[in-house]
Amino acid sequence: MQFDGVNEKSLVLVKPDAIQRGLIGQVVSRFERKGLKLVGMKMMGLDDEILTAHYSHLADKPFFPSLAKFMKSSPVIAMCWEGLEVVNAVRELCGITKAREAEAGSIRGDFAMSVSCNVVHASDSVENGEIEVGRFFEDDEIHSYKKSEYEHVYAEDEK
Ligand code: UDP
Ligand code: MG
């Protein structure tokens, strides 16, 4: 699987607050209208094993148990988005963690008020994008296809 150039990949989760609030379509739409390519998507319930790995950098924080409970409170939508420097582009679209201070126009800035219930997860580095896509998806769940809009989304020397 390739993770460079226009094939760079980011793992995005639509979190339980967004599922409950009926925001799936609007979240997906933000990434689509940016010109990113969706190469994997599924609804899945998360268990402690995957959450402990996914949030290993937060395992010793006092809020970890409530974060894990929140992330298990409903299924999530896991997505793999692809594009040139997509990890950074997706983080910009999502906005900062503390949603009530996130920039207006970003997903968190437009849809959320909480530090915890902040609508989306997005990979924070190219390396973590690769690791997280591998954690949430089997190889055959990531699809390779030609997206005709790339002709207009990217210049020749960016493809
Ligand atoms: N989180 C929380 N309380 C905090 C910090 C983070 O509940 O004080 C949750 C929140 O859902 C956040 C997730 O833990 O999105 C992962 O934290 P991280 O610092 O990696 O932020 P992100 O990369 O999601 O912006
Ligand atoms: Mg993070």
Side-chain angles (χ1 to χ4, degrees):
M1 222 179 280
Q2 267 189 296
F3 285 86
D4 59 343
V6 289
N7 295 316
E8 187 176 303
K9 291 174 179 59
S10 178
L11 185 275
V12 173
L13 301 177
V14 182
K15 293 181 175 181
D17 56 324
I19 306 290
Q20 295 294 346
R21 295 173 60 204
L23 297 176
I24 299 168
Q26 293 191 75
V27 171
V28 172
S29 174
R30 296 296 180 110
F31 300 113
E32 283 187 318
R33 73 186 194 185
K34 180 73 168 169
L36 308 186
K37 189 202 257 189
L38 183 64
V39 296
M41 186 183 216
K42 62 180 173 182
M43 180 174 256
M44 63 192 290
L46 305 182
D47 59 19
D48 287 322
E49 189 184 342
I50 197 165
L51 283 168
T52 303
H54 180 63
Y55 285 135
S56 60
H57 62 299
L58 301 173
D60 57 356
K61 301 280 187 201
F63 60 80
F64 182 76
S66 56
L67 173 61
K69 188 176 172 200
F70 161 60
M71 292 298 291
K72 290 187 291 185
S73 64
S74 80
V76 301
I77 304 290
M79 301 183 284
C80 179
W81 290 94
E82 198 178 79
L84 184 62
E85 295 172 10
V86 74
V87 167
N88 184 60
V90 166
R91 291 286 290 190
E92 292 290 330
L93 287 172
C94 288
I96 63 167
T97 312
K98 189 176 180 182
R100 56 186 170 274
E101 292 179 4
E103 198 172 348
S106 67
I107 292 169
R108 287 166 169 170
D110 285 356
F111 294 118
M113 284 295 287
S114 169
V115 178
S116 302
C117 305
N118 54 10
V119 179
V120 278
H121 163 82
S123 302
D124 64 4
S125 68
V126 177
E127 188 193 4
N128 280 338
E130 188 170 344
I131 292 168
E132 291 178 354
V133 169
R135 178 178 294 136
F136 284 83
F137 288 95
E138 301 295 333
D139 282 358
D140 65 2
E141 293 175 322
I142 299 298
H143 301 274
S144 179
Y145 63 98
K146 191 170 161 19
K147 197 158 200 273
S148 61
E149 76 166 12
Y150 267 24
E151 191 181 331
H152 305 287
V153 169
Y154 294 110
E156 276 308 317
D157 61 355
E158 291 172 321
K159 280 185 262 204

